[in-house]
Amino acid sequence: MLSRTADHLFWMARYTERAENTARMLDVHVQTALLPQSIDDAEQGWRAVLGISELLYGYNQKYDALTQKDVINFMVRDPSNPSSIASCLKQARENARAVRGALTTEAWEIQNATWIKMQGYLQTDALEQNPSDFFEWVKHRSHLSRGVTIGTMLKDEAFHFIRLGTFLERADNTARIIDVKFHGAKEVAAKQSQQQNQQSTQLSQSLLTKDHKGQDSQIDFYYWAAILRSVSGFEIYRKVYRDVITPERVAELLILRADMPRSLAACMDQVLSNLKHVHNDVSADTERFAGKLHADLKFSRIEEVLDAGLHDYLTVFLERIFELGNRISKDFLVPLAA
């Protein structure tokens, strides 16, 4: 396959997946923003959403204050933001159009129709009236794109480059969500502990303990449930663990469980598998690099990950995913010099 064609297919899939991931992050944060919280906590939450996608600098260059309305507008429709949902779906459509002949009619029509409908959607006030409905629509269109690809395309190199782009993007995004959300959870827990320590001693100690433990437990449940829902993992968690939601198990599910579709382990399973299908004369080192990353996930235990420090572990993982993307570009996607 021509490297230029592979490049378009790879990035078509990455942009589609990125749009879905952005919709997932925004949707879950719109829901968690409804929970009782201070103005500072709410602002910090939206700051974290921008931080996940490394968009905080770009946002600050354009807006004076940090508000839910402006963050959503910036991450959904702003054409100056290359990672906005509108920009991603536009780029996905343009990459698909460039290699129209490598796609089935159904696969192309999904990309084209999604972009056309997106333009109409953003010309109305639907996003402002009910943002969750809009985010569900974006996720649904991404699901359609993946389903049509699997259901109608020949399992040739074109198919495998699409799948490679999808799972590389998903691995990167899942790692960012885990890192930012777990860091946020630590800050929430620290604030809760500080607030409890500052309560008036005039209240009955037994009543104080009962009220705050109940309230904190409820907040913790909704916080971790929201994280799981952001990666369609809430029902899966209940099926696998059948118990209370704990941070350690959430981390295990999203990092090491290969049977969880959006986990890091599951993504690397797919990346490695699709790399093998597009093997060429110069890709052996890239496959070896991916294999080591896959093995680290396959044979690790969550206790080892947590003992080493979750943030440090995920930082290294993101660096390795970035390096893997560069290696794939060098081996497959960059046109050879004449």
Side-chain angles (χ1 to χ4, degrees):
M1 173 177 287
L2 292 174
S3 58
R4 191 176 301 279
T5 300
D7 185 80
H8 284 302
L9 293 169
F10 177 82
W11 282 103
M12 177 195 77
R14 289 202 71 161
Y15 279 121
T16 301
E17 181 70 20
R18 191 173 299 176
E20 178 188 348
N21 290 330
T22 299
R24 286 177 175 276
M25 287 189 294
L26 290 172
D27 189 26
V28 73
H29 206 76
V30 165
Q31 301 300 323
T32 54
L34 299 176
L35 295 174
Q37 58 185 319
S38 68
I39 295 177
D40 288 342
D41 287 342
E43 181 176 316
Q44 183 60 36
W46 288 109
R47 192 180 304 278
V49 170
L50 290 166
I52 290 175
S53 302
E54 298 183 355
L55 295 174
L56 190 56
Y57 177 79
Y59 179 90
N60 289 335
Q61 291 293 105
K62 192 163 186 176
Y63 297 94
D64 295 327
L66 201 153
T67 66
Q68 174 175 319
K69 179 182 177 181
D70 287 341
V71 171
I72 291 177
N73 185 71
F74 182 68
M75 295 188 70
V76 171
R77 57 159 52 100
D78 196 326
S80 69
N81 174 14
S83 293
S84 70
I85 291 175
S87 295
C88 286
L89 293 180
K90 179 182 179 181
Q91 289 301 317
R93 189 255 186 186
E94 290 303 307
N95 278 282
R97 185 172 63 86
V99 288
R100 172 69 185 81
L103 300 171
T104 60
T105 299
E106 294 88 346
W108 156 248
E109 287 181 347
I110 286 294
Q111 294 290 344
N112 192 44
T114 298
W115 169 238
I116 292 173
K117 291 179 180 178
M118 161 70 76
Q119 290 178 300
Y121 219 131
L122 296 183
Q123 289 174 1
T124 70
D125 63 349
L127 179 61
E128 289 74 20
Q129 293 297 322
N130 197 332
S132 289
D133 278 355
F134 172 78
F135 298 139
E136 282 298 324
W137 177 83
V138 174
K139 289 188 283 183
H140 179 65
R141 299 304 297 186
S142 180
H143 296 332
L144 278 178
S145 178
R146 263 195 315 277
V148 166
T149 298
I150 294 171
T152 68
M153 287 191 64
L154 183 69
K155 305 304 185 287
D156 59 1
E157 285 187 333
F159 174 85
H160 292 299
F161 275 114
I162 291 173
R163 300 290 283 170
L164 190 57
T166 294
F167 289 103
L168 197 66
E169 182 69 31
R170 185 178 296 180
D172 179 270
N173 188 261
T174 298
R176 291 177 186 276
I177 288 177
I178 299 170
D179 192 20
V180 173
K181 292 300 185 181
F182 270 72
H183 181 70
K186 284 186 177 181
E187 291 184 345
V188 170
K191 286 184 178 180
Q192 288 176 351
S193 177
Q194 184 180 17
Q195 289 172 357
Q196 287 186 32
N197 292 334
Q198 293 175 348
Q199 293 298 318
S200 172
T201 56
Q202 295 177 353
L203 296 174
S204 166
Q205 184 63 36
S206 62
L207 182 60
L208 177 65
T209 302
K210 179 180 178 181
D211 286 351
H212 277 275
K213 281 187 176 179
Q215 184 183 42
D216 293 347
S217 177
Q218 189 176 39
I219 292 174
D220 284 346
F221 171 81
Y222 284 116
Y223 185 89
W224 293 112
I227 293 174
L228 289 169
R229 287 193 173 98
S230 71
V231 291
S232 296
F234 183 75
E235 290 83 1
I236 293 175
Y237 184 98
R238 288 301 197 195
K239 187 173 183 179
V240 171
Y241 297 106
R242 301 176 183 274
D243 202 350
V244 65
I245 298 176
T246 66
E248 293 78 11
R249 287 175 175 173
V250 172
E252 181 181 51
L253 183 71
L254 301 186
I255 296 173
L256 303 180
R257 293 281 308 206
D259 50 357
M260 161 61 185
R262 305 189 78 87
S263 73
L264 303 186
C267 291
M268 286 309 302
D269 274 349
Q270 291 294 323
V271 168
L272 190 60
S273 173
N274 285 284
L275 264 178
K276 291 178 180 178
H277 280 96
V278 297
H279 171 87
N280 63 24
D281 294 339
V282 299
S283 64
D285 283 343
T286 297
E287 291 177 53
R288 189 177 299 110
F289 185 88
K292 289 180 179 179
L293 181 51
H294 174 257
D296 285 347
L297 291 165
K298 184 176 181 179
F299 297 109
S300 291
R301 301 183 64 180
I302 194 60
E303 293 83 6
E304 297 169 347
V305 173
L306 296 177
D307 287 345
L310 185 61
H311 175 69
D312 291 341
Y313 179 90
L314 292 170
T315 297
V316 172
F317 178 86
L318 285 167
E319 291 172 353
R320 295 171 76 183
I321 279 289
F322 181 77
E323 173 64 19
L324 179 57
N326 287 338
R327 287 170 177 258
I328 290 172
S329 294
K330 180 180 177 181
D331 292 346
F332 301 105
L333 308 181
V334 179
L336 296 175

